[in-house]
């Protein structure tokens, strides 16, 4: 065994040597590439500056040479004028002297020498094109390998879990201007504390985070916790991950108990569809008048409490007759819970609510004291009602595409909301004597359930606001 350990360690060392060679070559190539790029920048800047100096020199040279040529021509013209004047003065002919003097005067007045500017049009000073690279030289001399970023620390007190979103905030031991971005990793877990070596769920990665916080949205909290870790990255390297932090993601999660479902209900995961060919009970098939409407409930018998893990129930425990019902597999016996259900508004009948364990297999939701529900009826005419103990109240509100169900078991509150707008549709006030179970009914239609949801903050605030007011639905409680 020891030899095997040593052999494995030898393989690890050899692999490390290979990795070291490859990584060294990679960083050396990166370094050479960076210096080549830096040289290219310097060469380009040098070329631009030399070009400007040449252009400036050419422009000034042209100006000065033009002045020099003009002065040379003026001097030549002056020499000719002086020679003419000298000859005239030395002439012995007195008759033409006056005219000659006048001609000399006119020639002198128009001489180029008197029209020249004796100030240079261009300066020979080129000091404005001098450069000082002392600061850049110091910066280049200060070049060194980028340090590995410090390890961030997640601030649990600043992190929030609310409305199926998680906001994670973190800090650095000291400011670091070289940080380019952060990488956040998270995964679901049912274990509190640091992540374990073997977890059922993989790490999910969020890259390119610029701020020292990030909010995850659109989550489904189907586990008890979420574990987070974060690391900082600069342009070259990523630092170490922070110590993992586990945040509790309390939400109500359940599955549909297919063993409780009526034979006409096809249950797949959290979706249910009416299947007219699913029933095998011949006497129900023969009673066509009754199968046309699910409004009758002959008798009821005790229904065993649902279990967390889906198990096949004996056929006698299924809902039957016209109780086209299916229950969840998880009971509610404390706290506040919330879930949503999306349903086909064209269903002939649909209901959602809660039921006691004593709900009989022949019972329809809302037709006994063991269940509370909102019922959509599309048979003959459309109506939306709140039902309990065979009493119904018509609801004066638009029929939504999905319904949110809120249960506060300890306070005996059952509320139904428009899941999209969070508008309250109806509230039952009662006192639950037994645990309740999410319950659903559909006839000639379909629905799907969304679980793993936290109680929305707008629902909680609305419930607190109305906690001291009396229920307007006392007749149904």
């Amino acid at each position: 065994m020891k030899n095997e350990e040593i052999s494995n360690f030898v393989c690890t060392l050899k692999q490390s040597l290979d990795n070291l060679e490859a990584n060294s070559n990679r960083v050396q190539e990166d370094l050479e590439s960076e210096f080549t790029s830096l040289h290219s920048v310097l060469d380009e800047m040098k070329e631009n500056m030399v070009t400007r100096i040449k252009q400036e020199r050419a422009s000034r040279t042209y100006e000065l040479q033009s002045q020099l040529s003009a002065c040379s021509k003026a001097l030549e013209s002056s020499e000719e004028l002086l020679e003419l004047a000298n000859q005239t003065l030395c002439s012995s002919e007195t008759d033409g002297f006056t005219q000659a003097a006048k001609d000399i005067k006119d020639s002198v007045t128009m001489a180029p020498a008197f029209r020249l500017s004796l100030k240079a049009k261009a300066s020979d000073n080129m000091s404005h094109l001098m450069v000082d690279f002392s600061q850049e030289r110091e910066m280049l001399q200060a070049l060194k390998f980028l340090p590995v970023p410090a390890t961030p620390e997640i601030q649990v007190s600043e992190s929030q879990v609310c409305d199926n979103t998680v906001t994670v905030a973190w800090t650095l031991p000291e400011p670091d201007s070289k940080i380019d971005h952060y990488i956040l990793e998270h995964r679901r877990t049912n274990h509190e504390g640091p992540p374990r070596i073997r977890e059922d769920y993989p790490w999910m990665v969020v890259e390119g985070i610029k701020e020292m916080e990030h909010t995850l949205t659109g989550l489904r909290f189907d586990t008890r916790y979420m574990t987070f870790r974060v690391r900082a990255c600069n342009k070259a390297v990523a630092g170490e991950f922070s110590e993992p932090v586990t945040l509790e993601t309390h939400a109500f999660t359940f599955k549909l108990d297919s063993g409780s479902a009526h034979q006409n209900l096809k249950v797949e995961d959290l979706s249910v569809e009416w299947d007219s060919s699913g029933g095998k009970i011949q006497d129900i098939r023969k009673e066509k008048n009754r199968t046309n409407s699910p409004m009758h409930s002959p008798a009821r018998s005790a229904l065993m409490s649902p279990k967390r893990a889906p198990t096949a129930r004996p056929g006698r425990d299924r809902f039957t007759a016209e109780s086209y019902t299916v229950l969840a597999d998880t009971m509610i016996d404390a706290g506040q819970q919330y879930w949503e259900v999306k349903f086909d508004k064209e269903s002939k009948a649909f209901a959602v609510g809660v039921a006691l364990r004593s709900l009989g297999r022949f019972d329809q939701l809302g037709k006994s004291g063991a269940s509370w529900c909102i019922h959509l009826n599309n048979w003959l005419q459309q109506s939306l009602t709140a039902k309990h103990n065979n009493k119904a109240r018509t609801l004066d509100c638009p029929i939504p595409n999905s319904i949110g169900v809120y249960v506060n078991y300890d306070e005996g509150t059952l509320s139904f909301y428009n899941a999209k707008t969070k508008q309250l549709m109806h509230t039952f006030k009662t006192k639950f004597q037994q645990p309740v179970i999410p319950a659903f009914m559909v006839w000639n239609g379909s629905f799907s359930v969304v679980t793993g949801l936290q109680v929305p903050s707008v629902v909680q605030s609305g419930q607190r606001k109305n906690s001291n007011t009396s229920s307007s639905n006392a007749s149904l409680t």
Side-chain angles (χ1 to χ4, degrees):
M1 290 178 62
K2 191 66 177 178
N3 286 345
E4 184 177 356
E5 290 180 1
I6 294 175
S7 298
N8 291 336
F9 184 60
V10 167
C11 292
T12 301
L13 290 176
K14 289 182 178 179
Q15 184 64 46
S16 296
L17 284 171
D18 292 340
N19 293 342
L20 177 62
E21 183 73 17
N23 291 335
S24 298
N25 291 336
R26 178 178 58 81
V27 295
Q28 183 175 343
E29 290 174 359
D30 291 344
L31 182 65
E32 292 176 353
S33 175
E34 289 293 336
F35 270 96
T36 299
S37 176
L38 186 59
H39 291 155
S40 299
V41 172
L42 290 174
D43 289 339
E44 183 178 356
M45 292 182 65
K46 176 183 177 182
E47 184 178 350
N48 292 336
M49 288 182 168
V50 168
T51 299
R52 183 176 174 186
I53 291 175
K54 290 180 178 179
Q55 290 175 343
E56 186 86 8
R57 181 178 62 191
S59 174
R60 295 191 183 192
T61 299
Y62 175 78
E63 294 289 343
L64 293 175
Q65 285 183 343
S66 296
Q67 277 192 298
L68 179 60
S69 176
C71 290
S72 298
K73 291 181 179 179
L75 287 176
E76 291 177 1
S77 177
S78 296
E79 289 293 335
E80 295 175 357
L81 182 59
L82 287 173
E83 180 64 25
L84 176 61
N86 186 49
Q87 292 177 359
T88 302
L89 291 173
C90 295
S91 175
S92 59
E93 297 179 1
T94 57
D95 295 338
F97 181 82
T98 303
Q99 183 61 41
K102 184 176 182 302
D103 292 340
I104 292 173
K105 176 185 177 184
D106 293 338
S107 297
V108 170
T109 304
M110 298 301 295
F114 292 96
R115 297 197 304 270
L116 285 177
S117 172
L118 299 183
K119 180 179 180 180
K121 291 184 178 181
S123 171
D124 59 354
N125 186 354
M126 297 288 285
S127 60
H128 66 290
L129 294 179
M130 297 294 292
V131 293
D132 178 12
F133 285 137
S134 58
Q135 184 176 359
E136 287 75 10
R137 188 177 294 106
E138 291 177 0
M139 292 177 61
L140 290 174
Q141 290 173 345
L143 279 178
K144 57 184 178 181
F145 295 109
L146 276 174
V148 177
T151 303
E153 180 181 356
I154 296 179
Q155 302 297 313
V156 179
S157 60
E158 300 296 327
S159 301
Q160 294 183 346
V161 181
C162 180
D163 292 329
N164 283 74
T165 67
V166 179
T167 299
V168 185
W170 57 86
T171 58
L172 288 171
E174 57 185 21
D176 186 351
S177 61
K178 300 294 185 180
I179 297 297
D180 179 69
H181 65 276
Y182 299 90
I183 296 176
L184 177 68
E185 294 190 352
H186 62 90
R187 69 178 172 187
R188 297 173 292 164
T189 179
N190 284 312
H191 305 291
E192 185 178 11
R196 303 188 177 191
I197 297 178
R198 294 183 178 179
E199 286 279 5
D200 295 334
Y201 302 98
W203 287 105
M204 307 301 291
V205 181
V206 182
E207 297 182 325
I209 302 173
K210 297 297 183 179
E211 305 295 332
M212 287 196 289
E213 71 172 30
H214 185 71
T215 299
L216 298 172
T217 59
L219 300 176
R220 289 277 299 281
F221 293 149
D222 51 0
T223 54
R224 294 175 58 196
Y225 304 96
M226 286 184 69
T227 300
F228 297 87
R229 63 184 186 183
V230 64
R231 61 178 175 178
C233 306
N234 55 33
K235 292 291 186 180
V237 66
E240 296 293 331
F241 275 110
S242 65
E243 285 296 322
V245 168
T246 301
L247 302 178
E248 184 175 5
T249 55
H250 174 73
F252 185 44
T253 304
F254 61 85
K255 297 181 179 179
L256 295 178
D257 184 5
S258 59
S260 71
H262 191 285
Q263 289 187 359
N264 283 109
L265 300 185
K266 183 180 179 181
V267 180
E268 292 185 3
D269 195 20
L270 289 171
S271 298
V272 175
E273 185 175 1
W274 164 269
D275 182 5
S276 60
S277 64
K280 303 298 182 182
I281 305 175
Q282 297 299 323
D283 57 344
I284 296 179
R285 281 181 171 272
K286 294 178 182 179
E287 297 178 17
K288 294 182 179 180
N289 292 333
R290 292 184 58 189
T291 56
N292 283 340
S293 173
M295 301 301 294
H296 306 286
S297 57
R300 67 181 185 181
S301 60
L303 174 67
M304 297 183 65
S305 61
K307 298 180 181 179
R308 183 66 175 176
T311 57
R313 291 167 174 258
R316 61 185 179 85
D317 282 340
R318 285 181 176 271
F319 287 98
T320 188
E322 286 148 5
S323 180
Y324 305 113
T325 304
V326 60
L327 300 178
D329 66 348
T330 306
M331 295 181 295
I332 301 173
D333 56 8
Q336 303 178 56
Q337 317 297 348
Y338 178 84
W339 65 96
E340 294 179 355
V341 55
K342 300 178 181 179
F343 59 95
D344 179 7
K345 291 198 294 185
E346 300 301 320
S347 302
K348 289 295 177 60
F350 169 77
V352 57
V354 297
L356 302 179
R357 295 187 303 174
S358 58
L359 182 68
R361 67 191 187 106
F362 292 97
D363 287 350
Q364 299 176 25
L365 294 184
K367 299 282 283 186
S368 71
S371 62
W372 299 256
C373 74
I374 277 187
H375 183 273
L376 169 67
N377 180 33
N378 272 328
W379 179 251
L380 299 181
Q381 63 180 8
Q382 190 178 71
S383 64
L384 187 65
T385 56
K387 289 186 173 183
H388 170 63
N389 201 21
N390 207 23
K391 297 178 181 179
R393 171 170 298 203
T394 302
L395 302 181
D396 184 18
C397 63
I399 299 175
N401 293 320
S402 59
I403 295 175
V405 185
Y406 166 79
V407 176
N408 189 325
Y409 185 88
D410 302 320
E411 294 185 2
T413 300
L414 171 63
S415 296
F416 298 88
Y417 291 83
N418 181 318
K420 182 178 181 180
T421 64
K422 299 300 183 290
Q423 179 182 0
L424 179 64
M425 301 169 61
H426 185 78
T427 295
F428 289 104
K429 293 291 290 185
T430 185
K431 185 176 182 181
F432 299 117
Q433 302 293 340
Q434 304 174 30
V436 294
I437 311 166
F440 310 87
M441 185 278 293
V442 67
W443 176 57
N444 281 347
S446 61
F447 68 88
S448 61
V449 184
V450 183
T451 70
L453 302 178
Q454 294 183 306
V455 180
S457 56
V458 64
V459 170
Q460 288 183 324
S461 61
Q463 290 292 327
R464 286 193 297 267
K465 181 178 180 181
N466 298 325
S467 61
N468 295 326
T469 62
S470 60
S471 172
S472 61
N473 308 303
S475 61
L476 294 178
T477 59

